[in-house]
């Protein structure tokens, strides 16, 4: 019996659109937010009816900008989630936070709802760079938000950082890392910029107006990221994620362990009952479909055995501990070598993967060309 242990709820509303973001999002003003929240609650209930759960271990409310909702709307959304999902006692319950719109009242509502982890979209500390990438917070907002959160008792705080941004230098990223470490928080996610279609940056790139750092400088930023965080006691447990002991993200590990999860909301992706699905993106269409059918899947795909094996490899290799050969055999009846023997041998010779204590994992050199490694595990 399928039994998802994780829930993702998508809130697509933003007060400002970041230039790099390709997630499903719309400007908040004039949107039917209350109808959207009601539709999300209906989708939660209908999905759970079809695919019941035994125990929910992680809930993640992302976006968009969930904290762009009013206090009343936020309270209503979190109450709806609580009405449907009965989390286990040590659940990891995360919400994404924008430093520019956090007030004590919103944080109090979040805390009261049982949320125990904040993911704060910092990205950088240089205000000129923040403006360049479309962020609407300033450096002071970062410190104020974390101070307010700590006052209310939040300890599990994660900060998102970005590198390879237009106009960003290696020294600027080093400054960002130094200031980030001084926050004394237990978790960082740090991503290199990827220019996606349907973003402001993509439009600028097509016009020849997007000036990105040289590839060598981006490599130096990633090396700096790994070295500096290691020096300050952070364990790199995934290509882009670093934590103090016992603060790894349970929710993201659900994805990397190739496990099932509910995906709720417009444009959300889910994986339940052996089926991956994506919901329709337009807000009004999502609400209409939910009101008439209770479901809003735009696409559904039954994951084949071969696809499960592919995903097990390239998702698992994102983790620094890699893919457990024993776990793979238990799930699929054969070893990874039975499916990808030649590819693995070749990657070992190149020094990009290694086998250590029954775990197949990327080497340090492999981390820099991870996507090229992952391609080798596609049938």
């Amino acid at each position: 019996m399928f039994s998802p242990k994780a829930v993702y709820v998508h809130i697509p509303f933003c007060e400002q659109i970041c230039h790099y973001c390709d997630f499903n999002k719309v400007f908040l003003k004039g949107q039917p937010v209350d109808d959207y929240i009601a539709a999300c609650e209906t989708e939660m209930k209908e999905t759970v009816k079809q695919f019941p759960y035994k125990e929910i271990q992680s809930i993640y409310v992302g976006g968009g900008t969930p904290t762009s909702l009013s206090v009343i709307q936020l309270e209503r959304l979190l109450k709806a989630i609580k009405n449907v999902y009965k989390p286990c006692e040590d659940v990891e319950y995360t919400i994404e936070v924008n430093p520019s719109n956090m007030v004590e009242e919103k944080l109090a509502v979040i805390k009261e709802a049982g949320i125990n982890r904040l993911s704060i979209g910092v990205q950088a500390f240089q205000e000129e760079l923040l403006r360049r990438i479309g962020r609407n917070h300033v450096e002071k907002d970062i410190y104020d938000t974390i101070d307010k959160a700590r006052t209310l008792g939040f300890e599990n705080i994660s900060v998102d950082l970005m590198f390879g941004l237009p106009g960003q230098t290696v020294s600027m990223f080093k400054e960002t890392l130094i200031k980030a470490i001084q926050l004394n928080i237990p978790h960082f996610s740090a991503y290199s910029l990827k220019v996606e279609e349907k973003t402001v940056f993509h439009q600028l790139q097509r016009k020849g107006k997007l000036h990105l750092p040289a590839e060598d400088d981006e490599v130096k930023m990633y090396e700096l990221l790994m070295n500096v965080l290691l020096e300050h006691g952070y364990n790199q447990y995934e290509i882009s994620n670093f934590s103090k002991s016992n603060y790894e993200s349970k929710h993201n590990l659900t994805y990397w362990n190739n496990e099932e999860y509910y995906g709720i909301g417009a444009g959300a992706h889910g994986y339940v009952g052996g089926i991956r699905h994506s919901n329709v993106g337009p807000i009004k269409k999502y609400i209409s479909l939910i009101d008439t059918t209770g479901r809003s899947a735009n696409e559904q795909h039954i994951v084949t055995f071969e696809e499960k094996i592919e995903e097990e490899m390239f998702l698992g290799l994102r983790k620094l501990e890699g893919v457990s050969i024993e776990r793979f055999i238990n799930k699929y009846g054969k070893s990874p070598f039975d499916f990808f023997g030649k590819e693995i041998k070749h990657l070992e010779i190149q020094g990009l993967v290694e086998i250590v204590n029954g775990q197949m994992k990327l080497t340090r050199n492999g981390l820099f060309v991870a996507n090229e490694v992952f391609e080798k595990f596609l049938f």
Side-chain angles (χ1 to χ4, degrees):
M1 178 181 178
F2 298 102
S3 183
K5 298 178 181 178
V7 184
Y8 174 79
V9 180
H10 189 70
I11 305 302
F13 309 110
C14 293
E15 293 167 295
Q16 183 165 329
I17 303 297
C18 299
H19 298 341
Y20 53 83
C21 180
D22 73 327
F23 295 140
N24 191 47
K25 76 279 182 187
V26 294
F27 283 108
L28 175 67
K29 188 175 181 180
Q31 294 294 332
V33 179
D34 292 320
D35 290 342
Y36 181 81
I37 294 171
C40 283
E41 183 170 20
T42 299
E43 185 187 12
M44 293 178 210
K45 291 177 179 177
E46 292 301 315
T47 305
V48 167
K49 281 182 185 177
Q50 186 175 0
F51 300 102
Y53 63 85
K54 293 180 181 178
E55 182 180 70
I56 297 299
Q57 297 178 354
S58 76
I59 303 172
Y60 193 106
V61 183
T65 312
T67 52
S68 67
L69 303 184
S70 70
V71 170
I72 292 174
Q73 290 167 340
L74 196 56
E75 193 170 32
R76 184 182 174 194
L77 169 71
L78 299 178
K79 184 178 179 181
I81 294 172
K82 189 175 183 178
N83 283 343
V84 178
Y85 301 108
K86 312 300 179 188
C88 65
E89 188 173 327
D90 62 344
V91 66
E92 176 192 89
Y93 194 169
T94 306
I95 190 168
E96 290 181 354
V97 169
N98 187 339
S100 68
N101 56 25
M102 285 315 300
V103 295
E104 287 87 346
E105 195 174 0
K106 285 186 183 180
L107 279 170
V109 167
I110 288 169
K111 184 71 174 175
E112 180 65 25
I115 290 175
N116 52 27
R117 184 175 185 271
L118 303 180
S119 178
I120 305 177
V122 169
Q123 316 310 356
F125 284 80
Q126 297 83 9
E127 293 180 8
E128 179 184 350
L129 186 55
L130 288 169
R131 288 193 297 272
R132 194 177 297 152
I133 65 177
R135 300 294 290 176
N136 61 355
H137 67 271
V138 296
E139 185 176 356
K140 183 177 181 296
D141 294 331
I142 301 167
Y143 306 123
D144 288 347
T145 297
I146 291 176
D147 286 344
K148 291 172 186 175
R150 284 185 168 138
T151 298
L152 286 171
F154 285 100
E155 296 179 2
N156 195 350
I157 298 174
S158 178
V159 155
D160 281 358
L161 303 174
M162 294 185 72
F163 60 95
L165 298 171
Q168 187 182 40
T169 64
V170 175
S171 61
M172 289 170 69
F173 187 58
K174 184 175 182 180
E175 179 186 36
T176 284
L177 286 175
I178 291 170
K179 290 185 175 182
I181 287 166
Q182 290 171 348
L183 297 174
N184 194 30
I185 59 169
H187 191 281
F188 290 105
S189 296
Y191 303 97
S192 63
L193 173 67
K194 183 179 180 184
V195 180
E196 303 282 3
E197 292 186 7
K198 300 180 181 178
T199 64
V200 173
F201 279 167
H202 186 252
Q203 295 171 9
L204 291 173
Q205 190 177 59
R206 289 179 61 188
K207 296 176 182 177
K209 296 181 178 180
L210 186 67
H211 305 296
L212 300 175
E215 186 175 336
D216 286 349
D217 283 346
E218 187 174 337
V219 170
K220 289 176 183 177
M221 291 182 201
Y222 188 48
E223 284 186 307
L224 194 65
L225 170 71
M226 292 190 289
N227 293 338
V228 170
L229 290 182
L230 178 63
E231 289 170 8
H232 288 83
Y234 290 88
N235 172 50
Q236 184 178 10
Y237 68 99
E238 191 268 347
I239 290 174
S240 302
N241 284 268
F242 305 78
S243 75
K244 296 287 189 178
S245 181
N246 298 319
Y247 281 96
E248 297 84 358
S249 169
K250 290 182 182 178
H251 190 83
N252 286 342
L253 283 168
T254 298
Y255 303 145
W256 302 322
N257 287 329
N258 200 21
E259 296 171 343
E260 297 197 349
Y261 58 94
Y262 298 108
I264 304 297
H269 292 250
Y271 183 25
V272 290
I275 301 171
R276 290 196 182 275
H277 74 86
S278 61
N279 285 349
V280 297
I283 309 304
K284 291 182 180 179
K285 186 175 181 181
Y286 169 79
I287 293 170
S288 176
L289 279 172
I290 292 294
D291 287 345
T292 54
T293 68
R295 301 298 302 276
S296 70
N298 181 42
E299 294 181 355
Q300 291 189 333
H301 175 71
I302 299 174
V303 183
T304 66
F305 182 78
E306 288 78 11
E307 288 168 335
K308 289 179 181 179
I309 292 170
E310 292 175 345
E311 292 171 353
E312 192 78 19
M313 295 303 296
F314 65 71
L315 290 171
L317 283 171
R318 291 193 62 89
K319 300 178 294 179
L320 269 287
E321 72 174 21
V323 174
S324 165
I325 295 173
E326 181 180 0
R327 182 174 183 267
F328 188 100
I329 293 171
N330 289 338
K331 289 181 74 172
Y332 304 109
K334 292 183 179 181
S335 162
F337 299 97
D338 293 320
F339 300 103
F340 306 108
K342 291 181 180 178
E343 291 80 3
I344 294 169
K345 186 65 176 178
H346 187 59
L347 290 168
E348 283 186 291
I349 292 171
Q350 290 180 296
L352 301 179
V353 301
E354 59 184 349
I355 314 295
V356 181
N357 297 326
Q359 299 283 137
M360 184 187 307
K361 57 185 183 178
L362 294 175
T363 62
R364 185 177 175 90
N365 287 338
L367 290 171
F368 291 94
V369 291
N371 287 334
E372 295 176 26
V373 174
F374 299 157
E375 289 176 0
K376 304 300 182 184
F377 296 100
L378 300 177
F379 286 108

